[in-house]
Amino acid sequence: METVEHLIVGAGPAGLRAAQVLAEARREVLVLEKRPEIGPKTCAGGLTLKTIRELEALGLPPGTAHRTVGHIAFTGGPAVTLDPERSVVHTIPRRELGQWQLGWARGAGAEVCAGTPARSIDLATRTVQAGNRRIRWRHLIGADGADSSIRRALGLPSPREYFAAEYNVPGLRLEPLRVECDPDRLGNGYFWVFPHAGYTSIGAVAAKRLVRPPALCRYLDARVAGLGVSHEGIALEGATLEVQFRGIHFDNGVHLVGDAAGVPSSLTAEGIYGALVSGEEVARAILEPRYPALKTRRWLRVKRRHDRLARVLGRASARRIVFAALASLARRRSAQAPLASWFLAE
């Protein structure tokens, strides 16, 4: 049996950010990723301004991501921009983002093993099986997404209440980037069109109790056809989202970050920012137990208010009233910037 000081399960934005922080502090870090390639995931790939600031501070070259201004429609009709500055969104493929982060983590000295799932996790003995390696850890960071094996090992509920599906259509640039609410068909979810430099992501997300995944996929197919876009030969990608937050630090040196911790917003489905800051600040708290984790705490406050509104929108009787009020506010110039800041947490 080998012993590793810091074991991270999952090489998404949260796990790789945690690995980079720990490795930069000259700590021993091993990252296990079950997928054969680092990066790809069902995701629209949108980065808000606060997220792009985090990544550019780490070394992402300016201009790497495609820059656009987001538009939104709350009750049908044309999508409008709320604020040309606060509504800026950058899009980057998750494969590309993953490769940037992989380079930073490995450059700092972390060992990252793709195609190596963590099995037989035993929290009591602090051991895990990875291929033919039996590994004992001092600190274990669960960064393994919505279907987290570490979260399950902790005995935490994992309802994965939301489902998202998308088509990534190569060679297509549909502008502008837009989010369209459809309270009658998508409940508290939304339809999206996210243009990238070389393709466009077209998708939808909703709470599973309001829209069953097969119904959401049929809705998406109809919307894509309505845009005059062919998706023949293009795989439909789908994934669940864990939005139920139950904590970050646990006994026996176990920690959860990113989607495994349930930090995505259940209103906007924004998850990359929460993944980056929770991964960073969990690692810093391991290095310095009194570390205040201010960015994570601020994001969790945003998430709580988003989650409250998402719960309200889960009731049919409230949806039309709330969406109509939001549409009215979106037409008022004085309300546009505050509304954009509220949703995007800028």
Side-chain angles (χ1 to χ4, degrees):
M1 181 183 295
E2 61 182 292
T3 298
V4 172
E5 188 177 12
H6 302 96
L7 177 65
I8 300 174
V9 178
L16 290 174
R17 182 65 185 119
Q20 181 185 357
V21 170
L22 291 166
E24 286 174 343
R26 303 294 186 265
R27 299 299 182 88
E28 182 187 24
V29 184
L30 171 63
V31 184
L32 303 177
E33 169 56 50
K34 66 181 179 181
R35 299 184 184 188
E37 184 181 2
I38 305 297
K41 180 185 176 182
T42 301
C43 178
L47 307 176
T48 55
L49 287 172
K50 61 184 179 298
T51 311
I52 203 73
R53 285 194 295 266
E54 292 287 328
L55 290 168
E56 289 184 351
L58 295 175
L60 186 72
T64 300
H66 174 64
R67 184 185 186 278
T68 186
V69 176
H71 291 58
I72 189 165
F74 287 109
T75 55
V80 299
T81 183
L82 294 177
D83 182 88
E85 295 181 0
R86 292 174 174 83
S87 297
V88 168
V89 177
H90 293 76
T91 54
I92 186 170
R94 283 297 295 268
R95 176 181 284 105
E96 187 174 347
L97 175 60
Q99 291 302 304
W100 278 106
Q101 286 198 264
L102 177 62
W104 299 333
R106 282 181 170 163
E111 180 186 356
V112 183
C113 298
T116 310
R119 295 194 172 95
S120 304
I121 299 163
D122 189 329
L123 301 186
T125 62
R126 300 191 180 198
T127 58
V128 65
Q129 190 74 33
N132 60 0
R133 302 166 68 179
R134 187 70 179 169
I135 302 168
R136 179 178 172 86
W137 71 79
R138 284 188 58 201
H139 285 278
L140 172 66
I141 299 179
D144 47 342
D147 188 22
S148 170
S149 59
I150 309 302
R151 185 180 176 110
R152 290 196 303 273
L154 285 165
L156 298 177
S158 302
R160 292 180 289 160
E161 298 170 357
Y162 285 71
F163 176 77
E166 67 176 348
Y167 289 105
N168 292 310
V169 186
L172 178 69
R173 176 78 68 80
L174 280 182
E175 298 278 4
L177 182 149
R178 60 191 184 272
V179 167
E180 299 178 12
C181 304
D182 189 341
D184 292 331
R185 303 284 300 281
L186 290 179
N188 60 0
Y190 60 83
F191 170 77
W192 77 71
V193 176
F194 273 41
H196 289 248
Y199 69 97
T200 294
S201 167
I202 307 173
V205 62
K208 291 188 292 185
R209 70 177 182 84
L210 300 176
V211 185
R212 304 303 300 169
L216 185 137
C217 292
R218 290 193 296 270
Y219 173 91
L220 178 58
D221 284 344
R223 291 300 307 266
V224 170
L227 292 172
V229 174
S230 171
H231 56 78
E232 184 177 356
I234 300 172
L236 173 63
E237 300 180 31
T240 55
L241 283 75
E242 182 57 74
V243 299
Q244 189 177 112
F245 178 73
R246 288 298 182 94
I248 287 177
H249 301 290
F250 301 88
D251 294 337
N252 286 340
V254 181
H255 317 266
L256 293 177
V257 294
D259 288 18
V263 300
S265 162
S266 61
L267 182 67
T268 66
E270 181 177 2
I272 296 177
Y273 178 77
L276 288 171
V277 299
S278 64
E280 174 187 336
E281 295 193 325
V282 160
R284 296 201 187 283
I286 290 172
L287 297 169
E288 181 187 340
R290 295 195 174 200
Y291 185 79
L294 296 178
K295 289 186 288 188
T296 302
R297 289 163 63 184
R298 280 196 296 269
W299 171 248
L300 289 174
R301 286 196 293 271
V302 170
K303 172 179 164 55
R304 282 193 291 271
R305 70 176 187 244
H306 282 185
D307 290 353
R308 283 194 293 269
L309 180 55
R311 285 193 293 271
V312 170
L313 294 175
R315 301 195 297 270
S317 59
R319 278 198 293 274
R320 291 187 180 182
I321 296 172
V322 174
F323 280 129
L326 290 171
S328 177
L329 286 172
R331 292 190 292 269
R332 299 181 187 177
R333 188 176 297 275
S334 61
Q336 289 174 344
L339 199 58
S341 294
W342 195 91
F343 277 98
L344 298 176
E346 298 297 348

